[in-house]
Amino acid sequence: QVQLVESGGGLVQPGGSLRLSCEFSGPIFYTMGWYRQAPGKQRELVAAITSDGSTNYADSVKGRFTISRDNAKNTVYLQMNSLKAEDTAVYYCNRVNNRVTWGQGTQVTVSS
C-alpha cells in the first residue's frame, strides 16, 4: 500500500519561508505534486515534478515556490518563499495521475 507522509508545516509571518517534505512509498517514476486545500475551497494542485525533474507551477505560486525531489530518498520537497496570507491551507502531496489515498497533510498558516 502506497503511503504519503507530509511534514514541515507551521505558523509563519507574511514574507516568511517554509520547506515542506513528503516521504512516499512505492515506485519513483510517477510525476508527483503538491496540492493545497484552504477552508471552504477545493483542493488545488500548486506544483508538480516529473521523475526526471521537470517542474510546473500554478500561476499563484510561480516565482515563490520551488518543488524538488530526491528519488534515492523517495522524498518530494516544496520550498515556499515570500509567503502570503492566501497561502494558508493544508498542504498534501500525491501523484498527479493515478493518485493514491491522501495522507494527513501538513498545515501552513501565514499570519502576523
Side-chain angles (χ1 to χ4, degrees):
Q1 183 179 358
V2 177
Q3 289 188 316
L4 304 164
V5 180
E6 301 93 347
S7 62
L11 173 63
V12 63
Q13 292 187 342
S17 299
L18 281 175
R19 190 192 194 207
L20 307 183
S21 298
C22 168
E23 294 182 42
F24 62 93
S25 59
I28 64 171
F29 53 78
Y30 286 99
T31 296
M32 296 296 294
W34 278 99
Y35 300 75
R36 68 184 181 189
Q37 187 167 22
K41 294 188 176 181
Q42 288 191 329
R43 195 171 299 180
E44 61 172 343
L45 177 66
V46 297
I49 185 167
T50 64
S51 58
D52 62 357
S54 296
T55 59
N56 225 326
Y57 299 92
D59 288 343
S60 58
V61 307
K62 203 170 290 184
R64 300 187 299 121
F65 290 11
T66 302
I67 188 171
S68 61
R69 67 191 293 166
D70 185 337
N71 289 334
K73 296 182 179 179
N74 275 50
T75 301
V76 181
Y77 305 97
L78 187 68
Q79 177 67 43
M80 306 187 295
N81 299 329
S82 302
L83 283 161
K84 306 175 181 179
E86 51 263 44
D87 295 318
T88 295
V90 180
Y91 284 72
Y92 304 86
C93 69
N94 210 323
R95 299 172 182 174
V96 173
N97 298 301
N98 302 107
R99 284 196 293 270
V100 297
T101 302
W102 295 93
Q104 82 287 352
T106 186
Q107 175 71 48
V108 172
T109 303
V110 185
S111 175
S112 54

